[in-house]
Amino acid sequence: MRTVTIPRPDDWHLHLRDEAMLALTVPATAQVFNRCVVMPNLVPPVTTVALAMAYRQRILAQLPASMSFDPKMALYLTDKTSLEDVEQAAANPDVIGFKLYPSGATTNSSAGVKSMAALDPLLEKMAALQVPLLVHGEVTDADIDIFDREQVFIERHLQPMLAKFPTLKLVLEHITTGNAVDFVLSQGDNVAATITPQHLLMNRNDLLVGGIRPHNYCLPILKRREHQMRLQQAALSANPKFFLGTDSAPHVQANKETSCGCAGCFSAPAAIELYAEFFDQHDSLDKLADFASGFGADFYGLPRNNETLTLKQHPWQVPEQVSVAQQQVVPYFAGETLNWQISRD
């Protein structure tokens, strides 16, 4: 039996949700990942250090006694964020940085930034204090095709932003296009990107061919095959600018399978196995450890994990459904067979 042992991985982009959903999401992630970056797009959003610490305690309250887990909190950047908020974030080791959502870009993003130009004083302070900016990189203009929104955001906002603040520490989250790969490669070591399992394993055919498949619907939306291939090349390149961020984002089945289904793939029940599947398909399992367990920690200036995790080549089936609070959630890759599984021996 083939096995691969890696340092315990980290998830640098994760949605845990809140309240009853935490009973599902926290154990699903903590049994695999040591650290994660928790997204702040709750209702109401997590905009201050005080709100983030209260949310962190709710997360840790759902942690089984046998598990260790270190959630790092992102604060929701809004038009009302203050310089004092940035200073408080910089002083708190449990806060990783600020998340930039353009207003209306994704789930619970209505409180997001409406004027990019108004951010300049905050960005200057963040650059000075080396507080990371985590970016959902899409414009939301109604006249911009949904498949072009990442590219336009990079051209319209990110390139001018980095020209003005060249030392700003920035992560372009869940990249989906070759344009994003090129942008990250064109910048200094202060700019990096996370890549999700769904954008490595799928393209828009997997969303639309043969009927709309709501559990493959996420934002940013799956793109053309040629963009998928550029992301694959980036992940396989062993370039430390690219690292794991699942963007695991659960929604109950009733909200996904509706006339206006919501965006998000709940990959946590099989996250590291999905990445192992991808790297093995490309004969590159030796590159999984740095991508999943090394490059992200290095970028954020954190120590790599000492614990290890072993995966074994053993077919298993991703559950069709998981339950939480008397409702059903359909995992990403539900019912499909994966060839790699965490060894619990």
Side-chain angles (χ1 to χ4, degrees):
M1 178 185 299
R2 294 171 66 207
T3 64
V4 58
T5 298
I6 63 174
R8 191 175 172 193
D10 300 305
D11 187 347
W12 300 107
H13 184 118
L14 178 68
H15 298 269
L16 291 172
R17 308 303 191 204
D18 204 358
E19 300 177 340
M21 190 66 80
L22 292 176
L24 170 65
T25 58
V26 173
T29 291
Q31 67 181 342
V32 178
F33 296 98
N34 180 45
R35 292 169 294 213
C36 68
V37 173
V38 183
M39 293 296 107
N41 55 332
L42 305 184
V43 180
V46 180
T47 54
T48 67
V49 169
L51 288 173
M53 293 304 97
Y55 182 27
R56 189 172 190 270
Q57 287 306 307
R58 296 196 299 276
I59 292 167
L60 292 174
Q62 295 295 330
L63 183 66
S66 61
M67 297 180 186
S68 62
F69 187 49
D70 183 12
K72 300 296 186 184
M73 313 306 293
L75 304 186
Y76 198 123
L77 190 68
T78 75
D79 295 329
K80 297 181 180 179
T81 300
S82 68
L83 295 178
E84 183 181 5
D85 291 326
V86 177
E87 293 168 352
Q88 290 179 359
N92 192 310
D94 293 322
V95 174
I96 203 79
F98 284 84
K99 180 62 183 281
L100 169 60
Y101 290 106
S103 181
T106 189
T107 303
N108 299 337
S109 62
S110 59
V113 170
K114 297 177 175 65
S115 170
M116 296 291 291
L119 295 179
D120 280 4
L122 297 175
L123 298 178
E124 183 178 23
K125 176 68 75 171
M126 291 172 68
L129 298 178
Q130 286 294 278
V131 175
L133 179 66
L134 318 179
V135 179
H136 182 116
E138 291 188 289
V139 297
T140 57
D141 310 56
D143 62 330
I144 303 296
D145 190 291
I146 190 170
F147 293 103
D148 297 330
R149 290 181 175 185
E150 183 174 85
Q151 175 184 349
V152 173
F153 186 92
I154 291 167
E155 295 170 352
R156 186 180 294 176
H157 299 300
L158 286 190
Q159 289 173 343
M161 181 188 296
L162 269 297
K164 188 178 294 185
F165 305 105
T167 63
L168 179 67
K169 201 171 183 70
L170 184 146
V171 181
L172 184 52
E173 303 279 18
H174 43 48
I175 61 172
T176 65
T177 62
N179 310 87
V181 172
D182 290 338
F183 168 76
V184 172
L185 291 174
S186 73
Q187 301 296 317
D189 293 342
N190 55 307
V191 177
T194 56
I195 308 180
T196 74
Q198 61 265 28
H199 292 107
L200 289 173
L201 293 168
M202 291 185 173
N203 58 63
R204 66 187 190 181
N205 281 356
D206 298 287
L207 175 65
L208 299 170
V209 171
I212 296 174
R213 303 179 187 185
H215 299 287
N216 293 344
Y217 172 51
C218 57
L219 289 173
I221 200 165
L222 296 171
K223 302 298 195 298
R224 290 179 177 272
R225 169 65 176 156
E226 51 260 43
H227 288 297
Q228 179 193 10
M229 292 176 67
R230 290 295 311 282
L231 300 184
Q232 292 175 342
Q233 292 165 4
L236 295 168
S237 69
N239 187 315
K241 285 175 163 286
F242 303 100
F243 46 81
L244 184 154
T246 65
D247 194 23
S248 180
H251 295 278
V252 298
Q253 185 173 4
N255 291 342
K256 288 287 285 182
E257 299 175 7
T258 183
S259 60
C260 188
C262 45
C265 297
F266 182 44
S267 58
I272 195 64
E273 295 93 335
L274 288 161
Y275 285 109
E277 194 85 6
F278 163 73
F279 279 94
D280 190 34
Q281 287 173 0
H282 294 270
D283 297 319
S284 297
L285 268 177
D286 59 312
K287 296 176 180 176
L288 175 62
D290 279 336
F291 180 84
S293 313
F295 292 153
D298 297 345
F299 179 83
Y300 282 111
L302 297 169
R304 295 191 178 195
N305 298 319
N306 291 321
E307 294 179 71
T308 60
L309 177 146
T310 296
L311 293 146
K312 60 184 178 182
Q313 192 173 30
H314 180 75
W316 66 289
Q317 190 176 69
V318 180
E320 294 279 0
Q321 296 175 327
V322 292
S323 299
V324 59
Q326 300 181 323
Q327 297 192 79
Q328 302 302 313
V329 178
V330 177
Y332 178 61
F333 252 62
E336 298 294 328
T337 297
L338 295 175
N339 293 308
W340 287 91
Q341 185 176 33
I342 295 174
S343 176
R344 303 295 182 187
D345 298 338

